[in-house]
Every structure is written in C-alpha cells, then in structure tokens.
Amino acid sequence: MPKKHPKDAAELIPDRPTIASIRAAAKDCTACDLYKRGTQTVFGEGSSRAALMLVGEQPGDAEDLSGHPFVGPAGKLLDRALAEAGIDRAEVYVTNVVKHFKWEARGKRRIHKKPNAGEIAACRPWLDTEIALVKPRALVCLGATAAQALLGKSFKVTAHRGEFITSSLAPVVLATVHPSSLLRAPDEETRRRETKRFIDDLRQARRALKL
Ligand code: SF4
C-alpha cells in the first residue's frame, strides 16, 4: 500500500509527544512542498529542558546536508557569540520555524530562498510542539522571519531588537538579528559593530535568566 502523506504536520505528532518522538516523526513530513527540495528534515536540537530556546528561519546548505541546525558558517558565528555572551550552547535548544532548506540554484550553488507564509504555517505545529515540550524560560527569535512568525507580521526587528516582548511563548521573549546577516555585513567595521550588538542581545537573555 502506498505511504500516506499527511498534508497537516499536526497529524504526524504522536500522542504524548517527546522531543525524540516528534523529531523522528518530522522525518516523514510532507505538509508543504519543501520536503521535495531539501535533503532531509532538519529538526531542532539541544537539551529538552533548556532554559533558552533560539529560533531561526530555516536550515541552510550545510544544515541540509548534515541534518543538524546551525552547523554552517552562521551556526559557527552563533557558537562564538553565545560563548562571548557567557552562554553554553549545550544548555540551549536551537531550532527553526521551517525545517526544510528552501533554495534556488545559482550555477552549482544552492542559494537560500525565504520561506513563504504557507510554508511557515505548514511547519508551525512542529515548532509549537517543541516550545510546549521544552518550555524555555527565555525564547530568542533570530531574524525577521522567526520574529514575525512568532511575534506578529508587523514586528520589526530593526526597531525592537533586544527589547523584552510580552508574549505567551515564554516568560522572557526577545528578538535579534539572524547570525547570517552578520556574515553579509558590507564591511569589516559594520560586521564588528553588529556582532557586538548581537552578543549584547544574547547577554540580555542570559541576564534575564540569571544564568
Ligand atoms: S518544511 Fe516543515 S511543513 Fe514543510 S515538509 Fe518540511 S517539515 Fe514539513
């Protein structure tokens, strides 16, 4: 009998879910067309009791190939920023609003393409379940896609980065830029300055958690 492909990710979430069981279930997700393009589902990782959850947009090229979130250049920058902010990545749960890599070909390269509202909505049951299971004390949105998905379409990271936002998602919620934006800085001085601001935003979360 042909395999059933649910169009709603929520149908794949097992009764009494755990992070391990939803990660396994998400491997078979076909709730939007991105599963056809990505190599594999890249689910969130980290301690299921993490005090701090970081939510980005979607996996990139390196993440798609490895199957792990935040392992490419932006992930390495994030690791350094977390260390500078005094946060142990082992204590953090990292995930994305969309679990498959959306890309378009440019020559031999696969270039990141922003997920659309339908893809973000289709993937939302996975993220909602991750948040419900981990119950982070602080949640940090990395970049506009994550911030607008979780805090509302009109949320502007440029205007409100590093501010504490009242939200039912977690006791402490804030948004900052995505580390990949730091890699795209036009010059070294801008990159240094913006990286420092990024680290300061992460420090805000750490202080609020009293880590
Ligand atoms: S991006 Fe999300 S909703 Fe779409 S197929 Fe992948 S896991 Fe499912």
Side-chain angles (χ1 to χ4, degrees), residues 2-210:
K3 201 169 175 185
K4 190 172 168 243
H5 289 304
K7 272 290 166 201
D8 184 343
E11 287 180 38
L12 286 170
I13 293 171
D15 295 337
R16 296 208 219 127
T18 62
I19 288 293
S21 70
I22 58 169
R23 181 179 293 118
K27 288 184 198 298
D28 293 328
C29 186
T30 56
C32 77
D33 283 346
L34 294 185
Y35 80 95
K36 295 176 185 165
R37 309 216 70 195
T39 306
Q40 56 196 315
T41 309
V42 182
F43 209 73
E45 286 185 356
S47 167
S48 57
R49 290 161 183 258
L52 176 61
M53 180 182 278
L54 304 179
V55 184
E57 182 194 77
Q58 64 164 335
D61 187 76
E63 288 79 10
D64 172 73
L65 296 173
S66 72
H68 301 287
F70 289 97
V71 293
K76 291 192 169 52
L77 199 160
L78 175 64
D79 283 349
R80 289 196 296 275
L82 285 168
E84 284 275 325
I87 299 168
D88 182 353
R89 176 154 167 186
E91 305 288 323
V92 177
Y93 188 91
V94 289
T95 192
N96 287 297
V97 292
V98 165
K99 314 295 195 213
H100 270 99
F101 179 36
K102 183 174 182 180
W103 57 276
E104 61 188 3
R106 200 170 300 163
K108 288 190 178 160
R109 295 177 63 208
R110 301 190 302 170
I111 305 296
H112 160 274
K113 203 167 173 215
K114 199 169 143 66
N116 63 37
E119 291 152 354
I120 291 169
C123 215
R124 187 63 187 258
W126 298 119
L127 178 59
D128 284 343
T129 310
E130 288 176 293
I131 296 170
L133 290 171
V134 176
K135 294 189 187 66
R137 284 195 285 130
L139 185 149
V140 177
C141 301
L142 301 175
T145 301
Q148 289 175 356
L150 289 171
L151 304 175
K153 279 196 190 105
S154 59
F155 187 89
K156 289 211 169 3
V157 173
T158 42
H160 299 292
R161 68 178 290 174
E163 293 177 8
F164 295 122
I165 314 290
T166 304
S167 164
S168 57
L169 295 166
V172 173
V173 173
L174 59 91
T176 183
V177 295
H178 193 283
S180 64
S181 71
L182 305 171
L183 299 172
R184 294 193 303 271
D187 55 67
E188 198 46 46
E189 193 195 325
T190 309
R191 181 181 304 188
R192 233 191 325 261
R193 186 184 65 235
E194 289 303 311
T195 302
K196 183 179 175 307
R197 290 184 73 197
F198 180 62
I199 294 165
D200 287 345
D201 292 340
L202 295 174
R203 268 197 199 109
Q204 280 278 82
R206 196 203 74 200
R207 284 197 202 103
L209 285 168
K210 299 188 174 52

